[in-house]
Amino acid sequence: MVAEDAVVVGIGETEKSRARADLGEPVMSVEQYFARAAKLTLDDAGIEKDTVDGLGVINAAVETPFTYPAKLAETLGFEVDYLFSEDLGGVNATSLLVQAAISVDAGIADTVLCLGADTPYAPSAEGGDLFPRDPRGPTAQYTHPFGDQGPNASIALVQTAHQNAYGTTREQLGQIAVAQRHHASLNYLAYFDEKLDLETYLASDPVADPVHLHDCVIPVNAGYGFIVTNRNRAQSLDAPAVELAGYGARHNPEPVNQPDMTTTGVVDAAPTALDKAGIEPDDADFVQAYDDYPIIVAMQLEDIGFCAKGEGGEFVEQTGLRYDEKLPLNTSGGQLSAGQAGVAGGFDGLVEGIRQLQGAAGQRQIPDAARGIVTGVGGIAYGKNLLSSAVAVLERGEP
Amino acid sequence: MSDDRVLPDIDAEPYARPLWEAAQEERLVIQQCAPCSQAQFYPRPLCQQCGAAEFDWVEVAGTGTIASYTVIRRTVALPEFADEIPYAVGYVDLSEGPRIYTRFADCDLEAIEIGQEVQVTFEPVSDDVTLPLFQQR
C-alpha cells in the first residue's frame, strides 16, 4: 500500500467532442470541461462541493493564464487548504493520484478532488496547432529546425528502432488498435466506435514511416476527475472504494549518449510499483497502458514484464486483449479510440481502471476485476524514448 | 524551403553559442566535460554524467551511424516543410559518442537504414544560422 489511509471513491468523465458544431457536437472551453468533470465526479462519489478541501489539477496544453491552478479554483468556486498541479503530459493523471493519496494519508487534506481537462479544439483557437509550439528548449532549438513534425515523427523513430532490433511488425501492433476499438464500441463515451479491422488499420495513410494514421490518437475535448479521501469518510459514502496498492515512476531515464530507444522508463517504474503491491504482472486482472501509439503499448507490456524485451509484438498477437480474454487491455478503447484530451489523456486509462474495480464498466466489465495496472508515460525526449513514466497498481477496496 | 521555417534562437542559451558560431564556419563542435571528459549533445549547462559545469568545445570528425530514422509523409507540426515531403529525419550516433538529431540531406529514401554510415554537411538557413545535416556515405 502506498498511502494506507487514502482511497479513491468517485470518478467523472465527460462526453468527447471535436467541436464540430456542424455535427451537433458541443463547443466548450477548457474551464467548462473542468467544471463538468468536477460536477460528475462529486455526484458519482456523493460528496458535497463544500467538503472538498484539496484540489489537484493539470496544466492544460491549451493556452492558460498565469497561476492557472488558483485561477481555476477561483473560476470553479473551490475554497481549499491544499492546491497542487501537474505538468507532465501523459503522466499527469497517475501523478495527481499519488499526490492526492499522499496528502490525504498525511492529513494535509481530507477530501481531494483531482481534475484533468484539455481542449485541443478550443473555441478560441482557429485551426491552430493541437499543441502549442515550445517557445524555447531542446525541441525548439534542436529538432524543430530540422523538420521534426512533432510526436508522430518522434514515436516513428522509436518504432523504427524496435522493428529493426526485434522484427516487430505493423500486423502485430495492429492487434492493439483493433482490440481497443472493440472496447470503444462498448463505451458510449468513446469518440470513435466504428469497427476497425486489421486490413483497415494496415491500409491507413502513412504519416511518418512506419507510423500511419490509425497508429495516432484521436484528439478530443474532454474532462475527467476522481476523488481521494480517507477511509473514515469513505465508509460514510455509498461509493465503492479503490486503493492505490503500488506506485513507481521514473523521469529522464538513462541520461547517457546512446540510450536504448526501445525501452521506456516503465522498466524502472514497474518493479517499484509491483513490489510495493506485492504482485507479479500475471496477478493483474487488466492493464490500462498509456496508449498514444500501439508501439508504446507494446513496449510497456515488455517493460512491465508480461514478456521479454522485444517480444511485445508476438505477445499481443498471441494474447487475448479483450475485456473478457486473458489480458484485458485499455478497456475503454483507450486514447486511440475513445480519444485523447490533450495532456489530460492519461485520465482515460486511470478513470477506466477505477471504474472496472468499482464494477461499473457496464457492457465491458471485466468479470470479478480485483486489481489492475495503470500507466502514464509522456514527454518527448531528445535521443531516446519518452521522458516520464509512472506505474500504479490499483485494487478493489474492502467492501 | 519556405522562408518562414522555424529557426533556433542562437542567443537563447548563452552556453550554447559556440555550437552555432562553429556551424557558421561549417564545423560541428560538441561539449566535452573538463573534469570527466564525457562528451554530450545537445549543449547543457551541466555535464549529464558528473554534474560539472566546465566544458571544452571539441570539433568532431563529422562521421557517425544512423541510430534511427523516419520518412515524413505529411506535415503536422511544421507546415513550412510541405514542399520537402517526403524527407527523412532521425538520430545519428556520432563517432565520438553523442546522439544528434538531424535531417538527411540528398537522401536515398529507398536505401536508408539503421546503422548506415553518414557524414555531416552544412545547410545555411539564415544570416546567422547554419544547420548540421547528414548525408549517406
Side-chain angles (χ1 to χ4, degrees), chain A residues 156-311:
Chain A
L157 298 176
V158 166
Q159 185 168 330
T160 302
H162 200 277
Q163 291 185 350
N164 182 70
Y166 304 115
T168 312
T169 66
R170 290 193 63 234
E171 284 78 2
Q172 292 170 335
L173 296 174
Q175 299 299 332
I176 294 170
V178 169
Q180 290 191 201
R181 182 61 64 87
H182 174 67
H183 291 148
S185 73
L186 304 173
N187 176 8
Y188 72 98
L189 288 172
Y191 190 85
F192 274 149
D193 56 7
E194 299 86 354
K195 285 266 183 273
L196 174 69
D197 58 23
L198 192 59
E199 289 67 37
T200 310
Y201 165 86
L202 291 171
S204 65
D205 289 343
V207 177
D209 295 350
V211 168
H212 290 233
L213 204 54
H214 278 307
D215 291 304
C216 305
V217 293
I218 302 156
V220 293
N221 295 348
Y224 307 80
F226 57 86
I227 288 182
V228 177
T229 192
N230 56 44
R231 289 178 187 276
N232 189 35
R233 181 158 295 174
Q235 275 163 8
S236 70
L237 301 167
D238 202 14
V242 171
E243 298 175 346
L244 180 58
Y247 185 82
R250 181 59 58 97
H251 303 279
N252 190 32
E254 275 203 282
V256 297
N257 276 332
Q258 296 181 12
D260 176 6
M261 294 186 74
T262 69
T263 301
T264 71
V266 166
V267 79
D268 302 308
T272 306
L274 297 180
D275 286 356
K276 194 86 183 162
I279 67 163
E280 300 291 323
D282 286 345
D283 295 328
D285 297 322
F286 61 77
V287 178
Q288 313 292 345
Y290 191 92
D291 63 319
D292 42 0
Y293 300 86
I295 185 64
I296 297 293
V297 175
M299 289 189 306
Q300 290 178 86
L301 294 176
E302 297 168 357
D303 295 342
I304 291 169
F306 285 104
C307 59
K309 178 50 53 187
E311 292 177 2

Side-chain angles (χ1 to χ4, degrees), chain A residues 141 147 149 157 209 382-383, chain B residues 68 70 73 78 87 91 99 101:
Chain A
Q141 294 289 89
Q149 293 286 346
L157 298 176
D209 295 350
Y382 189 94
Chain B
S68 195
T70 177
R73 304 287 179 184
L78 305 171
Y87 64 92
Y91 286 108
R99 182 170 288 170
Y101 192 92

Side-chain angles (χ1 to χ4, degrees), chain A residues 56-69:
Chain A
V57 299
I58 69 159
N59 282 318
V62 66
E63 209 171 16
T64 52
F66 291 117
T67 66
Y68 188 65

